[in-house]
Amino acid sequence: MRFGILGPLDVRAPDGTPLDPGGPRPRALLTLLLLDAGRTVPVARLTDGLYGDEPPTGAANALQSQVSRLRKRLGLGIEAVPTGYRLTVSPEDVDLHRFERLAREGRRLLGSGDHAGAAVLLREALGLWRGPALADLPDAAPLVTRLEEIRLAAVQDRVDADLAVGGGPDLVPELRELISGHPLSERLYGQLMRALHAGGRPAEALTVYEEARRALADALGTDPSAELSALHLELLRGQAPAGPRGVPAQLTRFIGRADELARIGALLADARLVTLTGPGGAGKTRLAVEAARVLPDVCFVELAPLADGAQVPYAILTALGVRDGLHTPGGDATERLLSALQGRELLLVLDNCEHLVDAAASVTGLLLGACSGVRVLATSREGLGITGEVLWPVPPLAAEPAARLFADRAAAVRPDLEGPRDAHERRLTDEICTALDGLPLAIELAAARLRTLTLDELAARLGDRFRLLSRGDRTKAPRHRTLHAVVEWSWELLDDEERELARRLTVFPAGATLDAVEAVCGIPYPEDLLASLVEKSFLEAADGRYGMLRTIHAFCARRLADAGEEDRLRDAHAAYFLRLAEQAEPMLRGGDQLPWLAGLSAESGNLDGALRHLTRTAPHGGLRLLAALSWFWRLRGLYGERRARAVELLDAVGTEPPDGLFEEYVLCVINTIAGDGDDPGEPERLAHADRLVAGLEQPLRLPHLVVQWSVAGGPDHSMAERVRAQVGVHPWGVALLDLGLGFQEQFEGRPGAAEAAFASALAGFRETGDRWGMANCLDPLGMFADWRGERDRALALIDEGLVYVRELAAPEETADLLQQRARVLLHRGDFEEAAAHYRRAADLARTTGVPDKVATARRGLGDAARLSGDTARAREHYEAALETYAANWFSLAQSVRTLVGLGRTALAESRPEEAADWIEQARVLASDTGELAEVAEALAAVAEDPEEAARFLGAAHGLRGTLIAGDPDVVHVEEAARARLTPEAYEKAFEQGRGLRSAAVRER
């Protein structure tokens, strides 16, 4: 028997039949016994629980009578012992005890780092609650309070597990509701901050901290704990979360500019493109950040690190959180960008456009023309020159806000300097701000010098530098003279060792770790020098990385060239990052792939810089680096932007692989393939590489070449059979070949052999710990379990795969698995939940810029609507999907399935002739065995002759290798055919169709 007390008392017989314990007293008695299932409950506790503080005369006899009736009514084993009564059931049969065990085990897994396992157990535990606990037990308030505390702790543990495996946005509503009921829970506030930050809403995350601080102060008169305060600081300094980037969090107060903010807000309300112009250091970026902060759905795009205008669309895609899938070539970035933004209401902040103004203008013009909901706020030293653009020149700070900015930043480095203390200091402050032309960057750099100088010394030295500079080239822009003076003055405050390191650091285009600094700059033990440079505001330090402001970087880079060290340092930089990439490459195919992926992502700018340098100076080294990065690009997406680099590198290397770099050469060729038909040279390169691959003889050092080649060249270029000997005995390579074999067997209609191959591949990938491989196996294994009718197992397999693709930050693959999960739910009859999955998949595919996947989700929504009886809505979804598929050559299979859906819809609306026409269109279009199987089942549905229906069902079985158990589109067709035929006639027709397979469909 099963018992539930986490809600109203629920008693179930072994077959699941509900049992009635009786009235309030028997229900309370059974609840008391269940609280200590399998253990003795003293008579006094039972009496108190039933009758309270004033038990009736003869309470012991009354209790005995209640126990006796309960035994007879439910057939329970309730033993009488000298001290009380014991219910002889296992604690595992009581939901409360199962909950407590699962919650404990979930917390243990959470602490051990098994976040996915913890989430599964904690969800199972929380799913046992059906309402308020102990609802049938009077006067149980203290115990109920304790149970609710345990429940809340389990919920919080589950939230921590979800956050650890990539959750975030979906948790926000739940956490806000929990906080409304527990307004003093610091853990909930911290979780909400993390969820908002993970969802790309850092400003809101920081606001939550203020909410917590106020709540604690008002209720308890205390400040947030050290842990919550540390989280607040961590989020302030943290990296931008995955997904669309909101405005970056700021570490300092925004001062002044109230009028400018109001004006920019008004301009953005009326214009779709507003460009903030002005000199470098005028505060354009900060003003844009503050203006955008109050607006919903903002994406911030930093263009300053880009060296090539062609990278602008990729920078926007990256900021939007859009990436290529693991199996799809990059294609045209601008088209993907337009797809990702189509229909969205969004403000794009394009920061630092000046050095790429033509490219920025081109992309902005396309976006504004094609995406009516998109607005752009740009910062640049010159306008973009687009019709409809509104320019807003950012003026220098006026005297009063400039002085306040100086005082604020000075107090940050010298807490004793809260502002000018007398008229003399006020005058010096005004002189300094005037000398710096009111430029915020210059003021902040000058204020930082008060760490070591007095205000008088600062004013004197700064004045000397500007007078010296003003006598120089007066044809230069004033902003160049002023900023150069500030940086040069700061430079002269450094000692020789600090200058040496500062100029050498400019070889890093995207910051550096301590190890990289030591290896590349040739300065042993640079920790103290780095700390000194940070203190003097020449460097910024965050998350173990050191970087420079762009202005300082440009100044120091000229010093590097003047010192004659540039070539040597760039060689050292490229060599270091080549070693790093080659060290990381095998780790990306194992259990440690997540930290290595994160590490390479942090170094993307440096890796790109190293590849550019090697392409120019050492192409063979460039081949090695590109090959080492190829799988990283495949896993993390947007590898399309590397295509131009691969083409350039291939031109530098020549038409034949260098000695010892055969695989590297082939991978370089693969990276030149976009698959969009725009490059007339692609077919020739593809054929050349195909010839090279055909001659493979040595074992592969880079087994992912198999995947890369199959994706680039398509099924006709599959290498699975050719390289079985070349992958050797490495588990990852063997698993990869088993994965390919599984797909081949599936396409040939042999599900048993295919499932065995996928299971073997999964075992191999599990041995290595590779999430990519495991997810790619769990997807088809879940499908095969679904085909057999094992729906719970199918969902469990798919859910495991979803954990892995979310950990890999792969939204396109997440959408694929959500659609696979939705198909299982459709077969199980859970149409509403399936539709919710399809909608979520469509949203992911839409934000990823993959319109064919959006259309596939629309087709799934059509299936869900049709099966639930809403044929009008189904038709809308199918037609919308078909319209999108018509524009994409790669959507043939889904077009076939959509046509079948339209046919089934017409059939459900009693229009058999129209249904037959749709299905005939699908039959003509179909080519793959999987498509033909679905067409055969649809043909069976419209067949008037039961023998013909049976033959088509047999053909579907032969093509796919099985019929899908419980498929709601097939079950009634099979039942109808069997009802009209003898068993022998049905089996004969079915076997005939199974033998004919595709011929039964093609030659109907």
Side-chain angles (χ1 to χ4, degrees), residues 323 325-328 588-591 593-594 597 631 634-636 703-704 706-708 711 732-733 735-737 739-740 743 761-762 765-766 768-780 801 803-808 810 813 817:
R323 58 177 294 283
L326 302 182
H327 313 297
T328 54
L588 299 179
R589 292 179 270 119
Q593 63 190 166
L594 293 183
L597 280 169
W631 192 240
R634 180 65 57 183
L635 291 176
R636 273 296 157 92
H704 58 82
V706 177
V707 183
Q708 307 268 24
V711 171
W732 195 91
L736 182 64
L737 292 176
L739 179 64
F743 284 116
L762 177 61
F765 286 127
R766 284 198 193 282
T768 68
D770 179 26
R771 293 160 180 80
W772 173 87
M774 289 188 286
N776 275 274
C777 296
L778 289 162
D779 186 351
V803 170
Y804 298 140
V805 294
R806 283 168 177 158
E807 288 179 333
L808 288 169
E813 287 68 34
L817 280 169

Side-chain angles (χ1 to χ4, degrees), residues 417-660:
L417 297 177
E418 297 181 354
R421 290 167 290 194
D422 53 34
H424 174 68
E425 288 190 352
R426 282 194 293 273
R427 180 179 59 79
L428 288 176
T429 298
D430 291 339
E431 288 178 0
I432 290 169
C433 293
T434 299
L436 295 175
D437 295 333
L439 294 172
L441 174 60
I443 291 170
E444 293 186 344
L445 287 171
R449 296 296 155 259
L450 293 177
R451 288 190 181 99
T452 56
L453 298 176
T454 67
L455 197 61
D456 288 277
E457 290 170 337
L458 176 62
R461 298 189 64 155
L462 193 58
D464 288 340
R465 290 301 178 270
F466 280 135
R467 283 196 297 272
L468 176 63
L469 186 61
S470 67
R471 297 190 186 102
D473 187 352
R474 295 183 179 274
T475 65
K476 296 293 185 182
R479 62 183 178 271
H480 289 154
R481 297 199 303 268
T482 303
L483 284 176
H484 187 275
V486 172
V487 179
E488 185 173 48
W489 167 80
S490 300
W491 171 264
E492 292 188 4
L493 289 178
L494 304 179
D495 61 31
D496 290 341
E497 289 183 328
E498 290 170 340
R499 291 178 189 170
E500 179 183 47
L501 180 56
R503 69 173 182 257
R504 292 181 180 181
L505 283 171
T506 62
V507 77
F508 296 97
T513 63
L514 177 62
D515 288 343
V517 171
E518 187 170 9
V520 173
C521 295
I523 297 176
Y525 310 111
E527 295 91 336
D528 290 343
L529 285 175
L530 289 168
S532 179
L533 289 170
V534 170
E535 290 175 1
K536 296 179 179 180
S537 297
F538 240 73
L539 287 182
E540 295 177 326
D543 298 325
R545 298 185 66 82
Y546 298 91
M548 285 181 168
L549 295 172
R550 303 302 300 180
T551 301
I552 296 175
H553 189 281
F555 179 93
C556 296
R558 288 197 293 270
R559 272 44 186 186
L560 181 69
D562 293 343
E565 298 178 323
E566 187 172 11
D567 291 342
R568 177 176 61 82
L569 266 294
R570 294 202 181 283
D571 289 343
H573 175 273
Y576 175 83
F577 285 100
L578 173 58
R579 290 194 301 273
L580 177 68
E582 291 185 330
Q583 180 186 3
E585 187 277 327
M587 308 304 293
L588 299 179
R589 292 179 270 119
D592 293 329
Q593 63 190 166
L594 293 183
W596 280 97
L597 280 169
L600 290 180
S601 295
E603 298 292 3
S604 288
N606 285 311
L607 291 164
D608 290 347
L611 184 56
R612 286 194 298 270
H613 179 72
L614 290 172
T615 299
R616 293 191 302 268
T617 63
H620 291 186
L623 281 179
R624 289 171 55 195
L625 180 55
L626 182 140
L629 293 175
S630 290
W631 192 240
F632 164 66
W633 294 337
R634 180 65 57 183
L635 291 176
R636 273 296 157 92
L638 288 182
Y639 40 83
E641 67 177 301
R642 322 297 179 193
R643 179 173 169 270
R645 189 69 56 212
V647 170
E648 183 181 352
L649 182 57
L650 199 63
D651 290 342
V653 173
T655 58
E656 294 299 326
D659 290 342

Side-chain angles (χ1 to χ4, degrees), residues 73 161 186 344 564 587 654 688 738 745 779 874 950 953 972:
R73 189 179 186 98
E186 291 194 65
R344 293 187 64 178
M587 308 304 293
H688 176 51
D738 283 336
E745 296 288 0
D779 186 351
L953 290 177
H972 71 280

Side-chain angles (χ1 to χ4, degrees), residues 819-879:
Q819 295 202 51
Q820 184 73 280
R821 199 177 198 279
R823 283 189 285 274
V824 178
L825 294 170
L826 285 181
H827 294 156
R828 197 167 71 176
D830 295 338
F831 304 139
E832 185 175 345
E833 188 177 355
H837 278 57
Y838 281 124
R839 285 192 290 270
R840 174 64 176 146
D843 290 342
L844 283 171
R846 189 175 294 110
T847 58
T848 309
V850 188
D852 70 305
K853 297 291 179 71
V854 177
T856 301
R858 292 294 299 270
R859 179 189 60 77
L861 285 168
D863 291 341
R866 175 176 56 80
L867 290 169
S868 61
D870 191 347
T871 55
R873 178 62 60 86
R875 187 180 295 277
E876 291 177 11
H877 286 306
Y878 288 139
E879 289 175 350

